[in-house]
Amino acid sequence: MECRSTGGKTYYLRYADAAGRQRQFKIGKVDDLTFAAAKKRAQQLRSEVVMGGDPGAAKAVKRATPLYKELAEQHVEHARLNLKSFLDVEAIVRLHLLPTLARRPVNEIDSRVVGQLLASKRAAGLAPATVEKIRVTLGRSFELGMQWSVPGTEKNPTRGLGKPVQNARDRFLTPEESERLRRAAAKSDNPQLQHIVGLLLLTGARKRELLDAQWSHFDLDRRSWLVPLSKSGKSRRIPLSSAALGIIQQLPRIKGCPWVVANLKTRKPFVTLKTGWSRAIRDARLPGLRIHDLRHSAASFMISSGVPIYTVGQVLGHASVSSTARYSHVGNLDLLNAVEAGAAKQLI
């Protein structure tokens, strides 16, 4: 018991750690604990030391454990430096994670806490895919924490939680619809829209990948397009078909402008295509069509032509085959048409 000149008294346990260094662990003030209670706690701590533990080190780790707010700030900054989609990460963290978890130490965020959070988001009417993004983003915070040896992130609390059903709305253009869209885009006030639509349909690239593409990324002799930083945070190469090369060779080149499909007025990448796109899908009689649906359509055209799903996934830059499996029904339709044709032949 430490007795201070001010009159304060505190119980401590003194012990040697595994390295033989003298340590001191505060048990509590005399005003808060009886001698019997302090002695019992000291015996428990002594047993822990004998078994190889270090109460002081454990306490230091607890003090070093950050709040989720601090881990989230590091996560968002990491995304800003490494992902083109960092704004999505920032929005999920700011709108859905920080309001509930900001003041919680990360070691207190367990599967029960995460389950309650996700359940509340579903009850609030969020789409299943949005709820899944929240789960994945929180899980990524802990994965990064483990990589950075952040105390309290040794376990990922999102693991083992069931994934909600995805609400992905896939729209696949037919060849006839694709042609209507191309014609409508060619009449747009935005002269670059027809090239953008054509290249997205022929390459399966994401909109932002194309709008940010530079001439230095293209090797036309090798028919290859380098995407330096894709959504996954890695670079990838997109092969260019003869039709895609034809469009690229027709693109206007602006002296001193590095962008492949630049805004001809600003000579910078387009921020949005909303006005021209809305008019094009109206003229093509394709209400509700999204630009991202051109990527789905590119995949469906390849699969309908007999290209294996694994190969299509590589073209699209999918990290796993499961991401491409959503297009499998396109191939199944071709198989169904084949057996129907065979059956019809037998009935003649």
Side-chain angles (χ1 to χ4, degrees), residues 103-114:
R103 302 301 302 172
R104 276 185 179 268
V106 292
N107 64 332
E108 293 183 9
I109 301 175
D110 55 21
S111 58
R112 179 186 60 82
V113 171
V114 178

Side-chain angles (χ1 to χ4, degrees), residues 182 198-199 201-203 220 223-224 238-249:
R182 287 172 183 269
L199 286 173
L201 281 169
L202 291 170
T203 63
L220 300 186
R223 300 171 59 166
S224 177
I238 300 175
L240 299 171
S241 65
S242 298
L245 283 174
I247 293 177
I248 292 171
Q249 290 167 351

Side-chain angles (χ1 to χ4, degrees), residues 35-325:
F35 174 76
K39 183 177 180 181
K40 183 177 180 179
R41 178 58 176 153
Q43 289 171 337
Q44 293 172 342
L45 293 170
R46 173 63 65 183
S47 297
E48 183 180 334
V49 172
V50 171
M51 296 298 293
D54 187 343
K59 193 172 183 179
V61 169
K62 187 175 182 179
R63 286 198 300 266
T65 299
L67 302 176
Y68 178 69
K69 178 182 178 181
E70 300 168 64
L71 179 61
E73 290 174 352
Q74 296 179 59
H75 180 179
V76 171
E77 178 62 15
H78 178 271
R80 187 185 70 80
L81 296 174
N82 294 280
L83 298 177
K84 286 193 173 182
S85 58
F86 81 91
L87 289 177
D88 295 336
V89 174
E90 188 276 335
I92 291 291
V93 169
R94 173 171 47 84
L95 297 176
H96 301 293
L97 294 176
L98 288 180
T100 303
L101 304 177
R103 302 301 302 172
R104 276 185 179 268
V106 292
N107 64 332
E108 293 183 9
I109 301 175
D110 55 21
S111 58
R112 179 186 60 82
V113 171
V114 178
Q116 291 176 343
L117 171 65
L118 299 181
S120 69
K121 296 300 179 181
R122 286 191 285 268
L126 267 64
T130 302
V131 177
E132 173 65 357
K133 285 182 180 179
I134 295 171
R135 186 190 72 83
V136 169
T137 302
L138 179 58
R140 181 58 176 160
S141 290
F142 276 81
E143 293 292 340
L144 290 171
M146 280 187 266
Q147 291 180 26
W148 300 329
S149 299
V150 175
T153 61
E154 293 78 15
K155 291 183 179 180
N156 188 334
T158 67
R159 288 184 178 175
L161 296 179
K163 297 181 182 180
V165 177
Q166 294 290 334
N167 65 331
R169 182 180 69 86
D170 296 339
R171 173 87 173 268
F172 306 97
L173 293 177
T174 65
E176 189 272 334
E177 289 174 331
S178 172
E179 183 56 30
R180 289 209 315 261
L181 179 62
R182 287 172 183 269
R183 289 199 298 266
K187 297 177 182 178
S188 174
D189 292 336
N190 178 357
Q192 294 283 50
L193 186 62
Q194 60 178 320
H195 306 309
I196 293 170
V197 168
L199 286 173
L200 291 178
L201 281 169
L202 291 170
T203 63
R206 298 179 178 89
K207 178 187 71 173
R208 201 68 252 169
E209 290 175 341
L210 178 57
L211 298 186
D212 292 335
Q214 300 183 33
W215 287 109
S216 60
H217 300 157
F218 286 77
D219 186 337
L220 300 186
D221 292 333
R222 296 184 178 180
R223 300 171 59 166
S224 177
W225 167 16
L226 171 67
V227 178
L229 187 63
S230 65
K231 185 178 179 181
S232 65
K234 301 178 181 178
S235 64
R236 70 186 184 97
R237 289 190 176 275
I238 300 175
L240 299 171
S241 65
S242 298
L245 283 174
I247 293 177
I248 292 171
Q249 290 167 351
Q250 294 174 17
L251 289 172
R253 296 215 181 194
I254 307 170
K255 186 176 181 180
C257 177
W259 315 107
V260 174
V261 286
N263 184 321
L264 299 181
K265 294 180 180 178
T266 65
R267 298 190 176 187
K268 295 181 180 180
F270 285 98
V271 176
T272 179
L273 300 170
K274 188 174 182 179
T275 302
W277 177 257
S278 298
R279 186 170 299 171
I281 61 174
R282 182 194 65 196
D283 294 346
R285 305 187 305 282
L286 296 169
L289 185 72
R290 306 168 303 169
I291 291 182
H292 194 68
D293 293 328
L294 303 188
R295 177 171 163 86
H296 299 322
S297 299
S300 71
F301 288 143
M302 284 186 276
I303 290 176
S304 295
S305 300
V307 178
I309 286 181
Y310 175 77
T311 304
V312 173
Q314 287 192 310
V315 172
L316 298 182
H318 284 160
S320 65
V321 176
S322 61
S323 299
T324 320

